[in-house]
Amino acid sequence: MYRGLFFSKLFSFPYRFQACVYFACVFQAMSCGIHYLASVFMAVTPNFICGIPGNVSSVLFYNSSESSIEDIWTLWTSTENYIVVQLENGEIWELNRCSRSKREVSLDLAYEYKGNKSVFSCSDGFLYDDTKWKSTVVTQWDLVCDREWLAKLIQPTFMLGVLIGAVIFGDIADRVGRQRVIWFTSAGQFVFGIAVAFTFDYYSFMIVRFLLAMVSSGYLVVAFVYVTEFVGIKARTWASMHVHAFFAVGIMIVALVGFLVRTWWVYQIFLSISTLPFVLCCWMLPETPFWLLSEERYEDAQKVINIMARWNKVSTPCKVSELCSVQQDDLISGRTGDSDTSSTKKHNILDLFCNWHIARRTITVWLIWFTGSLGYYVFSLSSVNLGGNEYLNLFLIGAVELPCYIIACIGMDKLGRRNTLIPFLILSALICVLIMFIPQDFSTLIILANMAGKFSIGVAFGLIYLYTAELYPTIVRSLAVGSGSMMCRAGSVVAPFCVYLRSVWIFMPLLLVGIMALLSGILTIMLPETLGKPLTNTLVEATEMGRNKKSCSGKTPPAHSGAALEKIEMFGQETASAEK
């Protein structure tokens, strides 16, 4: 009987191979979290004023007089105020952020002046407050005033690259394999990450960052599929969810490096170096047996299984030829009627809509991805305004994700994927409504409610990666996760614009997130439960999982379809148990 699981726990002694593969992949996931949030400090806009056309002899801000502008930054709390400076030649200028005025009558140095003034543009550049950051991309290329919109495009453009990379590399991974995509995207993260630090202007910076976003997203999408296909049913939940935990660790690393390094290009180099150890060893990672079997590369799959058996000290590894005999007979009989089209078909995104049941599943999954990302970033952007130390705030933003993934893992293993996802989506909607009724004076309560909202949406956001991988078969799994990640990044691009709606109504962002979360929670009820079920290999099996008897091809699936893959996933523990 093949009742055992491939391995009961990922970190059990007999399963060293899976543990090594897993830790290697999730280590690299930290760099994804790093690059996603690097712009938080790299593109920060410090206090600034218009440049001065000469040497300063004295500076005046209300009743405070200083000898240099550097001494006045701590007093200048409102950007609507101006600074008065007197030059060595006797001229008196009023300096604002995006303009400067020369007083026609330069008698006494006083803050208030009602005489004539000549207004000039900031043709001499800008002066920046470097007490916190010695250099940022904003200060290096003067991305302020009429060029401020260029600075605001940095993160949305990065997320656009993430969106495109998720689709492209998800599709490529299904066509050429997970292993090659992991190699390429890992090397790309290191190369493009270092290259960002040496860009010579804003436009080259944006182009290289865009490429960095594509490979970072591509790695994250394929890594989820990769570890999912190597991990057995019991350990699959914890293994996939803790990829998110390492992503959150990457966010905390950004806070730490940002606190220690205050020059943007040095900061970028330090963040990118974290990728190097994995780049040096990622070439040793094997292809997954699931993908090899889906491509009918049985000999290569057997080699990988034999390597796994040696590492795990399993004396009697399974034979693919024996386990696949039934499946091969089904394929041969199927080819007689289908002229071998099924085995050679190249799959694309349209396969995610091959029938009504799969299409409905895809639409619901995409909505959950979009809502999770939208809520995640809306709550995160709100937490930036909590006050206090911004480095500590970012650190806590990453740290608050760790317990939510533990709760998600426990819930998914005990209650199931769907039964955990539904209540947390609805809970996040209720928290959005609750925040609207909290008086603005209760700042501590508002902060706690926002963190609770981020916690609940974080559970749903983390869960959907694994749930999506389990809802779709091997032949389109990477494509499904990739397209879902595309919707996720669409949500992250929309999130900043959603926050801008606070100018219309302060609770408008929360209202939108609450509505989307409630709708997603209701639609999730129609999704099938995947807890304890083996991964499917064909669209027929995926449709059957939704209790639909009509397949994508309109034919009844073979009784043993996918049996070989299930047995390969399950063979290990039985052998190990026999040895005990």
Side-chain angles (χ1 to χ4, degrees), residues 13-14 309 312-317 572-580:
F13 171 76
N312 297 335
K313 298 186 182 299
V314 176
S315 58
T316 56
Q573 184 176 353
E574 179 186 339
T575 312
S577 299
E579 291 178 348
K580 293 178 183 178

Side-chain angles (χ1 to χ4, degrees), residues 425-469:
L425 282 172
I426 296 177
L427 177 62
S428 61
L430 294 176
I431 291 175
C432 290
V433 176
L434 176 63
I435 296 175
M436 298 180 190
F437 290 95
I438 299 177
Q440 294 299 300
D441 295 337
F442 292 75
S443 58
T444 302
L445 188 58
I446 291 176
I447 293 172
L448 293 176
N450 274 274
M451 300 310 287
K454 184 174 185 295
F455 179 92
S456 59
I457 205 71
V459 172
F461 196 27
L463 187 155
I464 192 59
Y465 280 85
L466 173 63
Y467 197 25
T468 302

Side-chain angles (χ1 to χ4, degrees), residues 68-117:
S68 65
I69 292 180
E70 287 74 13
D71 300 324
I72 214 76
W73 289 124
T74 56
L75 303 175
W76 193 31
T77 57
S78 175
T79 58
E80 296 179 357
N81 298 322
Y82 58 88
I83 297 175
V84 179
V85 297
Q86 186 172 32
L87 306 184
E88 292 179 349
N89 60 9
E91 294 180 351
I92 298 178
W93 290 76
E94 294 179 7
L95 304 179
N96 293 293
R97 278 201 155 192
C98 299
S99 65
R100 56 188 179 178
S101 304
K102 178 183 177 182
R103 294 179 178 178
E104 298 297 338
V105 179
S106 303
L107 298 176
D108 298 326
L109 181 62
Y111 193 77
E112 298 293 340
Y113 176 76
K114 299 186 181 297
N116 295 326
K117 294 182 288 186

Side-chain angles (χ1 to χ4, degrees), residues 158-177:
F158 184 91
M159 285 303 179
L160 181 61
V162 169
L163 185 154
I164 296 174
V167 177
I168 291 178
F169 288 106
D171 187 32
I172 292 175
D174 283 330
R175 295 173 183 271
V176 304

